[in-house]
Amino acid sequence: MRFWADRPLAIKGLVFIAIPLAILFGALASLYFASTAEERAEADVRRAFAIQRDTYQVHALLSQAAAGVRGYALTGQDRFLEPFSVAERELPPTMERLDEAIEDPGVRQEFVVLEQLVDAKRQGLGDIVRVSRGGSDLASSREALEQELNANRDVLERLGSQVDVIQRKEAVLLDQRRERVDDVRSRFLALTGISALLGLLGSVAAVYLFSTGIVRRVRVLEGNAERLAQGAELDDLPEEADEIGRLAQRLGRASALLRAREKDLSESEERFRLVVDRVSDYGIFALDTEGNVATWNLGAERIKGWQASEILGRHFSSFYPPETREFLPQRMIERAIRDGSAEDEGWRVRRDGTRFWANVVITALRDGEGTLRGFAKVTRDMSERRRTEEELRSAREEAIAASRAKTAFLSRTSHELRTPMNAILGFGQLLEIDEEHLETQHRSAVTQIMKAGRHLLSLINDLLDISSIEAGANELAIEPIGLRELLTEAHAIGLPLVEQAGLAFTLDLPEHEVTVLADKRRAMQVALNLIGNSAKYNRTGKTVRLSGRVEGSTAMIEVEDDGPGIEPANIPRLFTAFDRLGEQGRSAAEGTGLGLALSKSLVESMKGEIGYQPLTVSGPQSGARFWFFLPLEAPLPEHEPDDASKNPQGS
């Protein structure tokens, strides 16, 4: 039994199944062979009956055919030939069936004789029919007919005798085959009984093995599982080597492990309770399902001022000010139940009545079945952060007010400066008219006055533009503009400035004409400002390039030069007002430091974007590319973009 108990469950299950199945298959095989033998015996009996039937039919067909032919010979009427026709049609298949059915050697010899007689009889009947139909010599025809009739009568008698011989032999075979069928049936019944008995014994053996090998020990395991659920000691099982034995051993180890884990969990819960109780920066406590305080920690006591004995059992709405106490606690509970947790920031009340700004998170606590067991509430005093935010908000408002005051000051100052500056430029222009009557030194002075006046007027105009944009008073006339038209006009206006710097000025127009939405004067101002910068600061290069192309739903305008470019450290400050980058090395270049800042504001006010990218044609920091986008009025018709348009920043 120990050997059997130690076998794996797979082998035991195989034995449980194999014993009945082997008996079943053996019984089925024996039944199949017995049934097959019975079928063969019955088939032999049916074949004997068929042979007897067909031999009788052969004799009957030939007898009827002979009578019909004799009647035809005597009367000459064709209706007597119908049995002959039937015999001619039915005899060949009947003889073929007999040839296939006869297997006994003795009967086969008699059948050969029968075939010869049948062929002779059929031939004789055919000769009688031919003799009856023909010949003018009646005497000779009758004599021949008489001879044929007599010969066929003898053949028919011999054929009948041969049929009787075959019938007698088949009768003997039929009796033998019937006895064989009865014998097979008797053995079949005996075999069926033996199979049933063996099946019953095999089933009993399998049930016994199953009960002793599995069921009894499974019941013990079931009892141990119940004891495990109750935390009780388990019953010992024999240390058997199959799966149930190993399961019992593992169940015992699991019981010991669970008891150890229960101990660890209890200790962990105690440590967690001590940790939560000692947290002082956060108020962490539990609420029951009605919202009453169930636990209280040191942080909650420090923040809210209540002792545990004073607050336990009270509703947590006691922490809310009167204006929100009636609705906000219940709303928080409902949100936590619906969403799992609810967070809020607002005023809360301490025990002494003082208020503090708190961040509160309430989390619904549910068991494994989803039943609500209560709530966990975490409160943090955010009063200091709120004060800091208020101070930052106040500082931001003051900074905005100062910026607005600066903008207003620049606007008023620019307007005040423009009036005398217009007078200076007006008188200077009058002096320029009479320049030919002035001395050389006076002409130089007038030129310097006009140059300085125009520079100062440009600075005043830029200040007015920036102050208008910052104040939101810059009105733009957004209208459809042809991109090619804009680029061509910018190239024509900027050409003298670039040529004056001794540089070549090239223009690359887009392949397809498109329409952009922009303020034409402002867009031209931005383009000319970028062209002027390239001409002004390109001291080492030879060319300035203006180009435009379509990029998605926008048009990109680029101004490139092959000058020294801009130091990487200065790129983030490019669009800062009054910041002239590298001014110490460019003292000969005039400028106010407002051009790029003004261009950025103008482009962004037209819903565009402006930027810079260094070129690396011949080395580091070689060349510069400024670009800006303007929105298209309508999408461009679908066509395959060229390689240059695939990268909005160029190469």
Side-chain angles (χ1 to χ4, degrees):
M1 291 303 297
R2 180 57 185 270
F3 173 81
W4 168 249
D6 287 342
R7 297 307 96 196
L9 289 181
I11 295 178
K12 292 178 181 177
L14 182 62
V15 171
F16 300 154
I17 297 172
I19 292 176
L21 282 180
I23 296 173
L24 175 63
F25 288 148
L28 290 177
S30 61
L31 293 176
Y32 171 76
F33 291 130
S35 176
T36 302
E38 183 180 9
E39 288 179 359
R40 286 198 301 268
E42 290 179 350
D44 291 341
V45 171
R46 288 192 297 271
R47 188 166 56 252
F49 280 121
I51 291 171
Q52 289 181 342
R53 182 192 64 241
D54 287 340
T55 52
Y56 280 127
Q57 184 175 2
V58 168
H59 185 263
L61 287 172
L62 289 176
S63 298
Q64 294 173 1
V69 169
R70 191 180 297 109
Y72 175 74
L74 295 176
T75 62
Q77 296 181 6
D78 290 339
R79 61 186 180 84
F80 286 101
L81 289 178
E82 182 177 356
F84 176 73
S85 300
V86 172
E88 286 295 310
R89 186 173 63 252
E90 296 293 337
L91 277 174
T94 303
M95 293 300 292
E96 288 180 3
R97 287 197 302 271
L98 285 172
D99 188 24
E100 293 176 358
I102 295 174
E103 295 179 354
D104 184 75
V107 179
R108 167 65 63 181
Q109 292 177 357
E110 301 298 333
F111 175 71
V112 172
V113 176
L114 179 65
E115 280 185 320
Q116 295 173 356
L117 293 175
V118 169
D119 291 340
K121 182 63 177 177
R122 290 177 60 191
Q123 184 178 359
L125 292 176
D127 293 341
I128 293 173
V129 172
R130 284 192 297 272
V131 171
S132 301
R133 287 178 176 172
S136 56
D137 190 354
L138 295 178
S140 61
S141 297
R142 282 189 177 277
E143 184 178 352
L145 182 62
E146 286 293 334
Q147 292 177 357
E148 290 293 334
L149 288 174
N150 293 330
N152 273 277
R153 186 181 301 110
D154 294 339
V155 171
L156 183 61
E157 289 177 357
R158 291 170 56 195
L159 192 146
S161 299
Q162 190 65 26
V163 167
D164 290 340
V165 171
I166 293 175
Q167 290 288 342
R168 285 195 299 271
K169 290 189 175 184
E170 281 296 326
V172 173
L173 292 175
L174 179 60
D175 292 337
Q176 295 175 354
R177 290 167 181 170
R178 283 177 175 173
E179 291 178 359
R180 191 185 310 153
V181 169
D182 293 337
D183 182 59
V184 168
R185 285 177 178 172
S186 299
R187 286 185 292 170
F188 177 75
L189 292 176
L191 186 59
T192 301
I194 293 172
S195 300
L197 180 59
L198 290 177
L200 178 61
L201 293 176
S203 299
V204 171
V207 169
Y208 174 76
L209 292 175
F210 182 78
S211 176
T212 57
I214 296 178
V215 174
R216 177 181 55 82
R217 292 189 294 148
V218 167
R219 288 176 180 171
V220 176
L221 282 178
E222 182 180 4
N224 281 344
E226 294 179 356
R227 291 181 177 84
L228 179 63
Q230 298 170 359
E233 292 288 337
L234 305 185
D235 290 341
D236 292 332
L237 277 174
E239 294 183 358
E240 295 163 337
D242 65 348
E243 289 86 348
I244 296 180
R246 294 195 296 271
L247 178 59
Q249 296 170 11
R250 291 173 183 173
L251 193 61
R253 291 195 295 269
S255 175
L257 181 61
L258 284 176
R259 288 196 298 271
R261 287 183 177 177
E262 285 179 357
K263 181 180 178 182
D264 293 341
L265 181 60
S266 177
E267 294 175 355
S268 176
E269 289 178 349
E270 181 63 20
R271 287 194 299 269
F272 178 75
R273 185 187 63 80
L274 293 174
V275 170
V276 170
D277 287 345
R278 297 304 174 188
V279 171
S280 60
D281 291 335
Y282 292 86
I284 305 173
F285 52 95
L287 307 176
D288 61 18
T289 55
E290 301 298 327
N292 299 315
V293 179
T295 65
W296 198 247
N297 80 324
L298 181 62
E301 180 179 332
R302 184 189 67 82
I303 294 173
K304 299 181 181 293
W306 271 281
Q307 298 291 328
S309 58
E310 297 173 327
I311 197 62
L312 291 178
R314 292 181 59 177
H315 197 272
F316 79 105
S317 60
S318 302
F319 310 137
Y320 288 76
E323 63 269 19
T324 60
R325 187 174 299 165
E326 297 299 327
F327 65 91
L328 188 54
Q330 185 60 32
R331 185 180 301 171
M332 293 285 290
I333 289 291
E334 292 173 354
R335 284 174 52 196
I337 294 174
R338 183 184 69 247
D339 302 331
S341 66
E343 184 174 1
D344 178 56
E345 282 196 11
W347 293 111
R348 297 296 185 269
V349 179
R350 295 187 176 92
R351 182 179 182 279
D352 58 6
T354 59
R355 297 190 177 201
F356 66 99
W357 190 261
N359 174 270
V360 176
V361 178
I362 299 178
T363 303
L365 303 177
R366 300 180 182 275
D367 59 17
E369 298 178 355
T371 303
L372 182 66
R373 295 299 185 185
F375 304 90
K377 190 170 186 289
V378 180
T379 302
R380 186 179 182 187
D381 187 351
M382 307 296 289
S383 302
E384 187 64 29
R385 191 197 71 177
R386 181 174 174 81
R387 281 193 295 272
T388 303
E389 290 176 350
E390 291 292 340
E391 292 173 358
L392 290 174
R393 188 181 301 110
S394 177
R396 185 166 55 251
E397 292 174 354
E398 291 176 0
I400 293 173
S403 178
R404 290 175 179 171
K406 178 207 70 173
T407 300
F409 170 75
L410 290 175
S411 179
R412 286 195 299 270
T413 302
S414 299
H415 280 289
E416 293 297 331
L417 289 175
R418 178 176 275 181
T419 301
M421 184 54 58
N422 287 334
I424 293 172
L425 291 175
F427 284 110
Q429 289 172 354
L430 291 176
L431 291 174
E432 283 182 332
I433 293 174
D434 296 331
E435 191 178 42
E436 59 186 12
H437 303 294
L438 299 177
E439 296 181 4
T440 303
Q441 58 182 357
H442 292 160
R443 291 178 185 175
S444 176
V446 170
T447 301
Q448 293 298 326
I449 290 171
M450 293 302 296
K451 184 177 181 180
R454 290 189 180 99
H455 178 69
L456 186 56
L457 182 61
S458 174
L459 174 60
I460 293 171
N461 289 333
D462 288 346
L463 286 173
L464 282 173
D465 287 338
I466 289 180
S467 62
S468 298
I469 292 173
E470 289 180 350
N474 185 41
E475 295 182 359
L476 300 176
I478 303 297
E479 59 181 348
I481 306 170
L483 181 57
R484 286 188 172 188
E485 174 189 350
L486 179 64
L487 293 174
T488 302
E489 186 172 346
H491 181 266
I493 297 174
L495 182 60
L497 182 62
V498 176
E499 289 180 343
Q500 185 179 359
L503 303 172
F505 193 17
T506 61
L507 173 64
D508 292 338
L509 296 176
E511 182 180 354
H512 301 277
E513 176 62 287
V514 294
T515 303
V516 298
L517 293 175
D519 184 310
K520 183 176 181 180
R521 183 174 68 87
R522 295 303 192 181
M524 186 68 65
Q525 181 179 351
V526 174
L528 291 176
N529 186 23
L530 298 180
I531 293 170
N533 283 348
S534 292
K536 187 188 306 181
Y537 296 114
N538 188 357
R539 301 299 186 188
T540 60
K542 297 180 179 181
T543 181
V544 175
R545 174 175 171 266
L546 174 65
S547 64
R549 68 171 184 269
V550 175
E551 188 66 36
S553 61
T554 61
M556 172 184 275
I557 299 173
E558 292 180 324
V559 178
E560 299 178 1
D561 66 74
D562 55 353
I566 298 173
E567 293 292 335
N570 294 330
I571 292 176
R573 300 160 46 203
L574 268 176
F575 299 96
T576 304
F578 302 106
D579 193 352
R580 298 191 65 198
L581 304 179
E583 187 174 3
Q584 65 279 4
R586 300 174 179 177
S587 58
E590 296 181 355
T592 63
L594 293 174
L596 290 178
L598 179 59
S599 298
K600 184 176 187 297
S601 300
L602 290 174
V603 170
E604 290 177 350
S605 65
M606 291 185 288
K607 302 186 183 306
E609 183 181 353
I610 191 169
Y612 166 81
Q613 179 185 5
L615 293 177
T616 56
V617 176
S618 58
Q621 302 156 13
S622 178
R625 174 189 290 128
F626 282 90
W627 52 265
F628 64 95
F629 288 114
L630 292 175
L632 293 177
E633 179 185 28
L636 187 68
E638 292 186 3
H639 66 281
E640 190 67 25
D642 56 16
D643 293 338
S645 66
K646 294 179 182 178
N647 182 4
Q649 302 297 331
S651 60

